[in-house]
Amino acid sequence: MFREKISFKLTASFVIIMLISMLAIGLLFIQMFRQYAFDSREETMLVRARSIAEVMAENSENFGQIRGLAGTMRFLDTMAEANVWITDSKGNPSTKSEMGMGMGKGSGNGQKSGFGKGMGQGQMYNSEPLPLEAEAVIQEVLKGKESVSESFSSVYNEATLTVGVPIVDSDHRVIGSVLLHTPVTGVTATLNKAVRILAISLFVALLLAIGLGIFYSLLFTRPLKAMNSTALEITRGNYSARTGINRKDELGQLGNSLDHLALKLGHTINQLFQEKGKLDDIISSISEGIVAFDTTLKPISVNTALAEIMNRPQPYLIEAVEEDLNSLEIEAQLTRVMEDKKPAQVFKDWLGKKLKLTLSPIIDNHGMVTGSVALVQDISQSERLEQLRRDFVANVSHEFRTPLTVIRGSVEGLVDGMVENSEDIKRYHQRILSETRGLERLVGDLMELSRLQSGKIMIHKNRVHISSLLADLVKSLQTIADQKEIKILYQPESDLPPFLGDYDRLRQLFVIFLDNAIKYSPANTLVWVESRIIENNTLSIIIRDQGYGIANDELPYIWDRFYKVDSSRKGLGTGLGLAIAKHLLELHDGKVSVQSELGKGTEIEIKLPM
């Protein structure tokens, strides 16, 4: 885990770079120092070898041969700071410095230095073989060239320099060679000391590099940790989190960019939440039900209107939604909609309702289908209104056709001269007049309702005494009620304050309700009218009869145009009275409630604000 941290990687990289750099520099300097030491020693040895070669050449000229130089060689050995070999022209050692002395007699003529007999009795150096690393040098020197060799000497058991210089006589002939062979005393020790110093330096640099690496890696990673913590806070929904980095470098720019991102992201998220809230409010306010499905046809979201449409209590759980939709059997249609990527409509019956389901695919910006949505509409009302429209056309046709047929038959009979008796002619005329008045009343109601719905009717409000209005109205309608032996009883509350309203429109309103109470009540029954002040300074007028009554499921529709309950179809009404009354009541900001029971009568309460 620790090795995966960037601080470890930075520290390790820093230490490795330091080690590699110092090793490379140290090795380079050691090699340069070694090469310099060897080159310097080599140049010195060459200078000394040349000097010895010159001396040997002069000695050869003076004595005719290279001999008798034991004492001189010892001195040269000391001055050259190296082991010195003198060889003849064939590469055989003539003498070597620091060799042991031998005692003996020579009987030769002195032509061979150190071999055979010499010039009488004297000190001679032993002739030991040359080092192996000097053989190649001698061969090169005897060709008249100076030669230098660097090697590891088996004699001295360390690195050595071997320098060879030819001995040339006055005739420029190579008569021998001078060979200096010496260990590079001090260079190896110095190099070893330098290596030790380098190792110590590397160890100290390693500790320093580790310390600095940790310091700078922490300095580098601290803002990264702050940015990481800020990013994690943003993922948790805390868009107010900030890095707090105040730097001018790239890390500071990155931290500022992250802070700016958090600010913009928070603003964008807030806007999205606001838009989502608006969308949720819009969806919740839609009267149609909405169901969203995933690609497996599982419902994932619904609005509140769906429960009312499906006649289910709130909250409408997803499990219950899935069960009800499975009962509607729309899986095949949903699958086809997602495959074809085209919307479709399905009509289903549900608990006495007529439902219209509009199925649409949900397609993302890449053209992929991510689900589907169903718009559920209760079209029972529209179907009922359509039925009412058809009934209205039939009723209006019937209402017009019947009187027109009567009028046409009466007129044709009069025109054809089939009616000659004056009494019959009068009766025909009265029939035409009655049917014409019925048509006039029907047309007038239609025009009145049209004006009320258009809002073009203006009311003129004055102080109206409701008690006097109702008493006068009861007396007027009692004449009509007497035809069916119906008694109208009015029970006003004493001292009713005057009501601010339109007298003519209020009279029309009460006439409609009283006329319906009389018209749809059997003979020998009672109609009660009451008026009183109730809470909130509201005027209440109650009209109660003992008529046929209205079924509970039909009460919500009695205010529709041309609506007639089955028990009232034999009446003479057009079905427009209650629709007109509702609009007249709205002009006075009033409310009406109806309670009815089949076979027992109906009670209508009108409430008008004082």
Side-chain angles (χ1 to χ4, degrees):
M1 180 65 71
F2 179 73
R3 294 183 179 179
E4 296 178 358
K5 292 185 177 296
I6 192 172
S7 57
F8 172 79
K9 295 179 180 179
L10 287 174
T11 303
S13 301
F14 187 73
V15 170
I16 291 172
I17 291 173
M18 288 283 293
L19 287 176
I20 293 175
S21 301
M22 292 192 67
L23 280 174
I25 294 173
L27 294 176
L28 177 62
F29 274 98
I30 289 174
Q31 182 64 27
M32 291 176 63
F33 174 75
R34 179 180 181 280
Q35 191 64 39
Y36 171 78
F38 273 78
D39 291 344
S40 177
R41 189 64 176 269
E42 177 184 313
E43 185 64 27
T44 301
M45 291 178 67
L46 282 174
V47 171
R48 291 172 180 174
R50 292 188 191 111
S51 299
I52 295 172
E54 291 176 359
V55 172
M56 293 296 103
E58 292 176 359
N59 185 276
S60 174
E61 291 177 358
N62 292 330
F63 298 98
Q65 56 184 353
I66 301 174
R67 61 181 181 176
L69 296 176
T72 304
M73 290 300 297
R74 190 176 297 110
F75 172 75
L76 292 177
D77 175 61
T78 303
M79 295 301 295
E81 297 180 354
N83 296 327
V84 180
W85 277 273
I86 305 297
T87 66
D88 58 14
S89 59
K90 295 182 179 180
N92 297 316
S94 297
T95 183
K96 172 185 179 293
S97 64
E98 295 184 359
M99 302 285 291
M101 293 184 296
M103 297 296 293
K105 294 180 179 181
S107 59
N109 55 7
Q111 297 300 317
K112 298 288 183 177
S113 297
F115 297 96
K117 296 181 179 180
M119 294 176 64
Q121 198 174 18
Q123 295 179 345
M124 298 293 292
Y125 287 93
N126 292 331
S127 180
E128 295 182 358
L130 291 172
L132 294 176
E133 53 268 17
E135 296 294 338
V137 174
I138 293 175
Q139 297 300 323
E140 187 74 17
V141 170
L142 292 178
K143 295 178 182 179
K145 300 179 181 178
E146 295 180 350
S147 178
V148 179
S149 173
E150 297 179 10
S151 61
F152 185 84
S153 174
S154 58
V155 176
Y156 298 104
N157 198 28
E158 64 174 319
T160 60
L161 275 176
T162 304
V163 177
V165 175
I167 301 174
V168 183
D169 61 7
S170 58
D171 296 328
H172 301 289
R173 292 180 302 167
V174 176
I175 60 176
S177 65
V178 177
L179 186 69
L180 273 65
H181 182 74
T182 181
V184 190
T185 306
V187 174
T188 304
T190 303
L191 290 176
N192 292 335
K193 186 176 181 179
V195 171
R196 288 194 298 271
I197 294 174
L198 177 61
I200 295 173
S201 301
L202 285 176
F203 179 73
V204 174
L206 178 62
L207 296 179
L208 183 62
I210 291 175
L212 292 176
I214 293 174
F215 173 75
Y216 283 107
S217 63
L218 292 178
L219 186 66
F220 181 79
T221 57
R222 188 178 295 113
L224 293 178
K225 291 180 178 179
M227 286 185 281
N228 182 57
S229 299
T230 303
L232 292 176
E233 287 295 321
I234 293 175
T235 59
R236 297 187 185 103
N238 182 16
Y239 302 107
S240 62
R242 296 294 181 269
T243 60
I245 299 174
N246 187 16
R247 298 171 58 163
K248 301 298 183 182
D249 56 6
E250 288 80 359
L251 287 176
Q253 295 175 2
L254 181 59
N256 294 332
S257 299
L258 187 60
D259 291 342
H260 186 67
L261 173 64
L263 178 64
K264 290 294 185 182
L265 187 60
H267 180 67
T268 303
I269 293 297
N270 288 334
Q271 285 186 331
L272 289 177
F273 273 113
Q274 292 177 2
E275 295 298 326
K276 182 179 181 298
K278 293 178 183 179
L279 182 61
D280 291 340
D281 292 339
I282 292 173
I283 292 176
S284 298
S285 63
I286 294 176
S287 59
E288 290 82 6
I290 298 177
V291 188
F293 300 89
D294 59 15
T295 53
T296 62
L297 306 183
K298 298 290 184 181
I300 56 177
S301 178
V302 298
N303 66 341
T304 55
L306 183 66
E308 182 178 355
I309 293 175
M310 302 295 288
N311 292 335
R312 298 303 185 193
Q314 294 285 3
Y316 196 14
L317 301 179
I318 294 296
E319 293 78 9
V321 173
E322 183 176 3
E323 183 179 352
D324 290 342
L325 293 177
N326 288 336
S327 300
L328 290 175
E329 298 179 353
I330 60 173
E331 293 85 355
Q333 291 85 350
L334 283 173
T335 303
R336 190 179 307 111
V337 163
M338 289 191 292
E339 290 176 353
D340 298 341
K341 297 183 180 181
K342 294 181 180 179
Q345 291 183 346
V346 181
F347 295 91
K348 297 289 183 178
D349 293 323
W350 177 259
L351 300 179
K353 291 184 177 182
K354 188 73 172 180
L355 301 181
K356 175 184 177 182
L357 290 84
T358 303
L359 311 177
S360 302
I362 301 176
I363 304 175
D364 60 13
N365 54 354
H366 299 293
M368 301 296 294
V369 176
T370 59
S372 59
V373 64
L375 179 67
V376 184
Q377 295 173 287
D378 182 5
I379 60 173
S380 303
Q381 181 74 6
S382 59
E383 287 290 319
R384 189 187 61 80
L385 291 176
E386 178 63 23
Q387 184 62 41
L388 286 178
R389 186 190 65 80
R390 291 192 294 266
D391 293 342
F392 163 72
V393 173
N395 291 336
V396 170
S397 300
H398 175 74
E399 294 292 339
F400 275 95
R401 184 171 61 250
T402 301
L404 287 175
T405 302
V406 174
I407 294 173
R408 179 180 177 181
S410 300
V411 172
E412 286 178 351
L414 292 173
V415 171
D416 293 340
M418 295 176 60
V419 182
E420 296 179 354
N421 190 323
S422 58
E423 292 294 332
D424 292 336
I425 292 174
K426 183 178 180 180
R427 182 165 50 83
Y428 271 72
H429 286 165
Q430 289 177 346
R431 184 184 299 172
I432 293 173
L433 179 60
S434 175
E435 296 298 335
T436 303
R437 286 175 177 172
L439 287 174
E440 183 181 11
R441 184 173 65 252
L442 177 61
V443 173
D445 289 344
L446 286 171
M447 294 181 64
E448 180 74 8
L449 182 60
S450 178
R451 286 195 300 268
L452 287 171
Q453 290 178 335
S454 65
K456 296 180 180 179
I457 291 182
M458 301 296 293
I459 60 174
H460 304 282
K461 291 186 176 182
N462 295 301
R463 296 169 64 88
V464 178
H465 293 277
I466 297 297
S467 299
S468 301
L469 173 60
L470 289 175
D472 181 60
L473 190 60
V474 167
K475 291 180 181 180
S476 299
L477 293 177
Q478 185 62 57
T479 305
I480 300 174
D482 289 341
Q483 297 176 5
K484 299 178 64 175
E485 298 181 357
I486 294 175
K487 183 66 176 178
I488 304 176
L489 300 178
Y490 175 46
Q491 298 174 348
E493 187 179 85
S494 59
D495 300 329
L496 282 178
F499 175 76
L500 190 62
D502 190 311
Y503 181 87
D504 293 332
R505 295 301 176 184
L506 288 172
R507 182 180 176 86
Q508 182 182 4
L509 173 66
F510 297 137
V511 165
I512 291 172
F513 288 118
L514 282 172
D515 183 63
N516 282 345
I518 296 170
K519 186 182 301 181
Y520 303 117
S521 294
N524 298 315
T525 57
L526 296 176
V527 175
W528 291 273
V529 180
E530 300 177 8
S531 59
R532 56 193 176 119
I533 298 294
I534 58 176
E535 67 276 0
N536 299 326
N537 197 25
T538 301
L539 176 62
S540 173
I541 298 96
I542 298 176
I543 300 174
R544 188 184 309 110
D545 61 49
Q546 297 176 323
Y548 306 115
I550 305 171
N552 288 331
D553 57 345
E554 293 186 289
L555 285 177
Y557 310 126
I558 62 176
W559 310 104
D560 296 338
R561 294 179 298 173
F562 299 102
Y563 185 81
K564 293 182 180 181
V565 296
D566 293 338
S567 58
S568 65
R569 289 195 181 277
K570 30 183 193 174
L572 300 176
T574 61
L576 299 174
L578 292 180
I580 294 174
K582 181 180 178 182
H583 287 285
L584 292 174
L585 198 59
E586 290 174 353
L587 290 175
H588 290 85
D589 298 324
K591 296 181 180 178
V592 62
S593 61
V594 180
Q595 296 180 2
S596 183
E597 188 175 353
L598 288 175
K600 293 185 178 181
T602 302
E603 178 182 304
I604 296 177
E605 182 178 11
I606 302 168
K607 294 181 180 179
L608 298 171
M610 296 296 291

